[in-house]
Amino acid sequence: MDEISVLSPATVANVVCGFDCLGFALGEPCDEMTVRKIAEREIRIINHDDFGLPTEPDRNVAGVALSAFVDAAGLDHGFEVESTKKIMPGSGIGSSAASACGVVVAANMLTGDRFTNVELVELAMAGEALASGSRHADNLAPCIFGGFTLVRSTEPLDIVEIDFPPLYATIIHPQIEIKTSDARAMLPKEVPLRNAIRNWSNLGALVAALSTGDFALIARSLEDAIVEPVRKSLIPGFDEVKAACLDAGALGGGISGSGPSVFMLSRTNEVAKRVGEAMSRVFEQTKIGHKIHVSPIQRSGVRPAV
Ligand code: HSE
């Protein structure tokens, strides 16, 4: 096999109380990528979208991740990538992670599956670092593993897959730009112990609740005392959107990754759609354009396109 096309899913990082460690994969949207072997030991990038992303491999997230793959595998050939991004860069639903993960999983499939999923996350981290200036893996891990994952440590990389009941996510993507690097720079360097206690209590409870399917506990645990209170000022109407979603039946939610997208979790697709309508109603008042995605949480990560 010299060529493969894959779907690389959007992901939600942080999941309110799990800053930089918890994440989950969405069924939609997915980037579409075709990766093919080429004889030359180089990386070529072809973009089939209007986002104006760089095509120089050392300035492109997929290019950097793929270069790391070629080096780690000691290959004597390179790859060409054709990328159609459906996940808008800067949306807060793991656009750069999808680019980095899609190419390393595809390259692995083309070269005999030599790397484990954990090793692929490690290689994709090079691409994520280019995009955000920081080596976090909370979007990468669910993008490759699917479902809910917890990154217990990045050095060395230690990823925990978390069982979960059927859940539906609603995402609102307001058409404003928030740079991950800016959203990280505004965070406090130190946090009061009482806030740390609150967050690790919620994170432990959330993981337990996901594993046992305790929806009431999932709802109570989706609370963040550290990051959301600071970052929510970047998202006009955040408190109103959240209140409207809870009224519409959502279990809870918050900022997706570093924003500007906001996500909510619901027990059924019907409630998730109703939550999307509630989000739209609030955002129509802000006069900021927005997109809504409703999707089940996806149990598989990057997968071959059929
Ligand atoms: N955990 C990261 C953050 C996700 O919130 O900054 C964004 O890449």
Side-chain angles (χ1 to χ4, degrees):
M1 186 167 59
D2 287 332
E3 170 177 319
I4 189 166
S5 296
V6 294
L7 296 175
S8 193
T11 47
V12 170
N14 300 340
V15 200
V16 184
C17 52
F19 179 69
D20 266 6
C21 58
L22 192 61
F24 64 78
L26 295 168
E28 292 284 337
C30 290
D31 284 352
E32 298 165 7
M33 317 181 90
T34 298
V35 179
R36 64 180 65 90
K37 291 185 199 171
I38 54 173
E40 300 78 15
R41 197 177 185 281
E42 62 184 37
I43 309 297
R44 291 185 210 139
I45 310 277
I46 302 164
N47 293 323
H48 292 299
D49 46 51
D50 301 326
F51 296 126
L53 295 174
T55 51
E56 302 91 322
D58 57 345
R59 292 184 55 227
N60 178 288
V61 167
V64 169
L66 213 38
S67 296
F69 183 97
V70 170
D71 290 345
L75 300 179
D76 60 3
H77 65 85
F79 295 98
E80 181 173 84
V81 181
E82 289 191 51
S83 168
T84 307
K85 286 199 75 64
K86 300 282 170 80
I87 311 168
M88 200 182 281
S91 53
I93 49 173
S95 182
S96 54
S99 295
C101 293
V103 291
V104 296
V105 171
N108 201 39
M109 289 171 173
L110 292 175
T111 54
D113 284 323
R114 65 186 75 201
F115 294 116
T116 65
N117 278 348
V118 173
E119 288 166 338
L120 291 173
V121 171
E122 183 84 51
L123 294 170
M125 246 198 293
E128 184 73 306
L130 175 77
S132 70
S134 139
R135 283 175 62 83
H136 53 270
D138 50 346
N139 287 106
L140 302 169
C143 191
I144 287 182
F145 283 81
F148 268 89
T149 57
L150 181 108
V151 181
R152 194 201 60 81
S153 152
T154 50
E155 290 178 19
L157 199 52
D158 188 0
I159 295 167
V160 183
E161 291 183 83
I162 298 164
D163 203 6
F164 61 99
L167 279 170
Y168 294 80
T170 314
I171 311 278
I172 181 163
H173 174 203
Q175 309 292 295
I176 53 175
E177 194 190 348
I178 298 175
K179 287 204 167 72
T180 298
S181 47
D182 294 343
R184 295 182 78 82
M186 73 194 295
L187 296 177
K189 299 283 171 286
E190 291 172 7
V191 298
L193 185 60
R194 66 177 179 284
N195 290 349
I197 292 168
R198 196 147 188 116
N199 267 43
W200 64 56
S201 305
N202 276 319
L203 181 56
L206 179 57
V207 170
L210 287 167
S211 303
T212 56
D214 183 338
F215 292 102
L217 186 58
I218 291 174
R220 291 202 300 285
S221 310
L222 287 168
E223 180 194 61
D224 176 13
I226 298 174
V227 177
E228 181 180 293
V230 180
R231 282 185 172 171
K232 71 177 182 177
S233 62
L234 298 172
I235 302 170
F238 176 82
D239 286 331
E240 291 83 348
V241 165
K242 196 166 171 177
C245 292
L246 295 177
D247 274 353
L251 294 167
I255 303 170
S256 175
S258 56
S261 288
V262 173
F263 81 97
M264 287 286 149
L265 292 177
S266 300
R267 287 184 70 162
T268 66
N269 198 31
E270 289 65 40
V271 176
K273 283 188 190 154
R274 212 157 62 220
V275 167
E277 288 157 13
M279 287 171 161
S280 272
R281 276 197 296 277
V282 175
F283 250 81
E284 269 148 26
Q285 290 159 20
T286 67
K287 308 248 185 302
I288 296 171
H290 60 271
K291 283 197 174 133
I292 304 276
H293 304 283
V294 177
S295 163
I297 296 194
Q298 179 79 27
R299 292 188 184 266
S300 53
V302 179
R303 55 196 180 275
V306 280

